[in-house]
Structures are given as structure tokens and as C-alpha cells.
Amino acid sequence: MCVDKTSRSLRWVVDGTVRTRLDVRFGSDELPTREGAFSVLSKSRDHVSSLYDTPMPFAMFFSGGQAVHYSPDFAATGYNGASHGCVNV
């Protein structure tokens, strides 16, 4: 998985070939998405944030509580908002 803040995209890459490209959004200036190379540490299909009491379906955690996950808010409002540091799909 390759996440790119510049193009606001996530690319799923298998053996050097991009299989899927998705639009994503990131955290705000106050709650930024961490940068670097990470591994997926755990997955949770029906996760709910214990800090923000919001759903994080299909969460793939990569750094502490930050995860790549589906966001109904991103689906509804697009880039007119931000996550709490996660990568919203």
C-alpha cells in the first residue's frame, strides 16, 4: 500500500503493479497524519474509535491509533474536512 499526500491517493501495489487507486484524505494541521514507512500492525473490520467514538470500518492500523479506514464522512463531504490523523478512504 502506498499513500501519497500530494496526490491525495492510496495505491494498492502487488509485485510492482498498481492494482487499485483510491482517493483519500488525511489529518488536519492540528492532528496530522504521521509520515514515514510503516507496516500494517493490526486490522479491525468493525472498529470504533475509543477517543472520538466514531466508526472506523475496515481499519488497518499502521502507527499507534492511526489507521487507513473507510470514512462515511469523507464519502459524504469529500475534502471539506479532515480526519483525526487517519487516512480516510
Side-chain angles (χ1 to χ4, degrees):
M1 196 172 5
C2 179
V3 178
D4 183 346
K5 286 184 173 180
T6 303
S7 65
R8 298 192 294 191
S9 67
L10 177 150
R11 294 182 304 276
W12 179 41
V13 181
V14 178
D15 296 327
T17 301
V18 176
R19 297 292 177 101
T20 303
R21 185 202 169 281
L22 301 168
D23 293 329
V24 294
R25 76 174 178 189
F26 301 94
S28 65
D29 289 339
E30 295 79 27
L31 296 166
T33 303
R34 295 180 193 104
E35 296 184 5
F38 303 96
S39 296
V40 173
L41 304 172
S42 64
K43 299 177 188 179
S44 179
R45 184 180 183 97
D46 297 309
H47 192 80
V48 176
S49 169
S50 58
L51 290 176
Y52 303 106
D53 195 34
T54 56
M56 297 171 59
F58 304 102
M60 294 181 284
F61 290 91
F62 62 88
S63 179
Q66 291 192 352
V68 174
H69 66 85
Y70 174 75
S71 168
D73 181 65
F74 179 47
T77 64
Y79 296 105
N80 294 322
S83 74
H84 292 104
C86 289
V87 178
N88 291 163
V89 178

